[in-house]
Amino acid sequence: MFKVLVADEIKNLVEPAQLTDLDITWLAADEPTPKGDWVALVPLLSRWVGGTELKNLPNLRIVANVAVGYNNVDVVAAELRGVIVTNTPGVLTEATADLAWALILATARRLVEGADLVRSGKWTGWHPEQLLGLELCGRTLGLFGAGRIGQAVGRRAPAFGLRILYSARSPKPEFENETGAARVDTSRLLAESDIVSLHVPSSPETKGIINRETLARMKRGAILINTSRGDLIREEALALALEQGHLGGAGLDVYAEEPTIHPRLLAAPRTVLLPHIGSATEETRRKMAAIAIENVQAVLNGKPPLTPVYGQV
Ligand code: NAP
């Protein structure tokens, strides 16, 4: 039996048949990572796995993150200790792209304000200038990052009559052929897009990429969507851009210090704020749990991991 530490929160999502030969210690998100002789760790993205945690688990062979993003793991420290790190790419692409669209539509058409008005009992009836939003047809969608999720968001855009711009490190000719998207540098993306949607991972190069200066380069009235990672955005600067009316809205699923949200952002106008539910469909969450455990089983049984993160950065 292999001694394995697994996030307690995925207990109901894993198939019992997958757990053969595993002696599991279920670890709740609020419990610290223990010291001991466990050989595998399956953490949620809320658990930091750095040098100290790796040192405290000297027999560890794999960290199987239950997320596609792996900015909660010090991959360099893991590699130095010979610990394999895996993530769950692919299976959450469509669910997260759907949620990005839910945010685009909700922000552009002011759904939360409308729903609040109806519930408040203060709605006095149809008015020609009530809750006017942004019409999507003929506008430009700017994808900052066009990997799996960015492209899936882009593939849904032609149906809404949107032109697509994207920024990524490498060109995506198939995506361009399929959608008519054009690759541009970040400056052009910010200056020309009516909706900017973030799909780059959190990394030292991308942290804080949306800040006072880059927000100022966005079109007046443009909308910012973030389903990637919260620390891409300087939240106070975003709040200010919304307060001043420079931005037309922000639809966010992720925050820099989850679950805390910057108080000024919480109070800012024209926001749609969701509690990090990009991949939250029954099917996707089960697939994420399954891949994480398959990676553990592969590595502990001497096989290569299915989805190692090395080479993905
Ligand atoms: P991916 O396939 O690896 O795509 C990442 C994209 O970012 C690629 O196009 C990559 O360019 C680009 N990129 C990376 N660094 C860049 C930089 N410095 N400048 C410009 N472009 C850069 O990842 P994915 O599967 O689409 O996932 C994206 C992120 O979404 C994840 O990292 C995760 O944090 C987040 N996510 C959030 C949720 C949620 O619940 N809200 C769910 C799933 C994922 P190249 O293609 O040229 O390499």
Side-chain angles (χ1 to χ4, degrees), residues 6-312:
V6 181
D8 187 60
E9 291 75 7
I10 68 163
K11 203 185 236 170
N12 296 331
L13 297 172
V14 290
E15 292 296 330
Q18 271 201 296
L19 305 178
T20 327
D21 294 334
L22 302 183
D23 171 10
I24 297 184
T25 305
W26 298 100
L27 184 63
D30 57 359
E31 284 178 64
T33 308
K35 288 184 187 183
D37 57 356
W38 287 277
V39 292
L41 171 63
V42 181
L44 303 182
L45 50 82
S46 50
R47 181 174 299 279
W48 172 246
V49 184
T52 308
E53 291 72 18
L54 293 164
K55 205 169 137 207
N56 288 341
L57 296 167
N59 296 344
L60 203 65
R61 290 162 64 187
I62 174 169
V63 177
N65 215 34
V66 190
V68 64
Y70 45 87
N71 49 308
N72 59 307
V73 183
D74 184 340
V75 286
V76 177
E79 195 169 11
L80 286 172
R81 298 187 78 93
V83 176
I84 289 168
V85 180
T86 61
N87 63 346
T88 64
V91 293
L92 37 60
T93 299
E94 301 304 330
T96 309
D98 284 349
L99 193 90
W101 271 97
L103 280 173
I104 292 171
L105 290 165
T107 311
R109 298 303 301 274
R110 306 176 63 181
L111 292 202
V112 173
E113 288 166 86
D116 285 351
L117 180 63
V118 169
R119 279 189 193 282
S120 72
K122 292 184 186 147
W123 182 41
T124 51
W126 193 88
H127 187 285
E129 287 189 298
Q130 191 170 55
L131 291 175
L132 301 185
L134 184 87
E135 181 142 340
L136 296 185
C137 191
R139 305 275 181 171
T140 299
L141 170 67
L143 302 169
F144 184 50
R148 290 169 292 248
I149 298 169
Q151 290 188 35
V153 170
R155 282 197 300 273
R156 287 152 170 77
F160 289 93
L162 285 157
R163 173 174 87 109
I164 307 166
L165 300 177
Y166 74 97
S167 291
R169 294 174 300 193
S170 56
K172 317 287 176 201
E174 274 181 32
F175 174 59
E176 292 179 18
N177 284 339
E178 197 183 337
T179 62
R183 183 169 172 235
V184 294
D185 61 22
T186 312
S187 297
R188 233 187 106 188
L189 187 95
L190 293 171
E192 292 187 22
S193 301
D194 299 290
I195 301 155
V196 173
S197 191
L198 307 181
H199 301 289
V200 290
S202 168
S203 70
E205 301 90 66
T206 60
K207 261 183 202 172
I209 194 101
I210 301 297
N211 51 44
R212 205 161 59 136
E213 189 256 325
T214 47
L215 284 163
R217 277 152 57 193
M218 284 176 67
K219 268 186 178 177
R220 191 169 178 81
I223 284 173
L224 179 68
I225 303 294
N226 190 8
T227 53
S228 188
R229 283 290 180 266
D231 60 8
L232 302 180
I233 298 178
R234 297 273 179 253
E235 290 177 344
E236 183 151 10
L238 173 58
L240 189 68
L242 290 161
E243 286 163 15
Q244 293 174 339
H246 175 64
L247 281 201
L252 310 174
D253 185 42
V254 286
Y255 309 89
E257 303 283 342
E258 293 175 15
T260 304
I261 301 181
H262 194 292
R264 203 158 164 185
L265 186 57
L266 258 184
R270 300 284 188 98
T271 58
V272 178
L273 306 177
L274 298 182
H276 202 150
I277 52 170
S279 63
T281 66
E282 177 91 27
E283 298 87 331
T284 289
R285 289 286 163 84
R286 286 193 184 283
K287 285 181 196 159
M288 289 165 69
I291 292 189
I293 301 292
E294 275 175 58
N295 274 306
V296 167
Q297 288 284 17
V299 168
L300 297 184
N301 288 294
K303 296 183 195 136
L306 282 76
T307 51
V309 304
Y310 306 121
Q312 288 187 31

